[in-house]
Amino acid sequence: MKYVAKPVVVDAHVITRVQMSTKPGHILLARDGMKGADFEATPEMCSRMLPKEGDYIVTQSDGYVYLNPKEVFERKYRPAPELDTAQSAY
């Protein structure tokens, strides 16, 4: 049997700066459009990839946040048309 996923709408920001955190194993990431609000990636988030500039921080509608390499993200996602709240609720 074959399955098809429902369309997924996410919020995403390009990583613009990467630096080590003072917490062991954590990495601070600056995001486009988010001045002064660094995102702290946990060791679990970085277990599959080490983020670099140009990669993405992705937040799903259920609040789950993950890192995605630029090539993977841009192959899977495209900018969404403006949606009203009734359309974006799943």
Side-chain angles (χ1 to χ4, degrees), residues 2-85:
K2 295 184 181 186
Y3 293 86
V4 177
K6 293 180 182 178
V8 176
V9 177
V10 298
D11 288 317
H13 292 276
V14 176
I15 297 169
T16 58
R17 182 176 35 82
V18 177
Q19 71 184 63
M20 297 309 294
S21 170
T22 56
K23 295 180 185 175
H26 289 69
I27 299 174
L28 291 176
L29 306 171
R31 303 170 280 180
D32 67 325
M34 305 293 284
K35 294 185 189 272
D38 286 342
F39 177 84
E40 190 161 355
T42 65
E44 295 79 17
M45 295 178 83
C46 300
S47 64
R48 299 185 126 210
M49 66 169 281
L50 286 177
K52 61 183 186 299
E53 290 180 14
D55 290 339
Y56 288 80
I57 300 169
V58 182
T59 306
Q60 295 181 170
S61 60
D62 64 1
Y64 180 71
V65 180
Y66 60 95
L67 305 175
N68 216 229
K70 176 182 180 5
E71 301 78 25
V72 173
F73 181 86
E74 291 178 354
R75 184 176 63 235
K76 183 175 179 181
Y77 293 97
R78 64 186 185 289
E82 291 299 318
L83 301 174
D84 64 33
T85 54

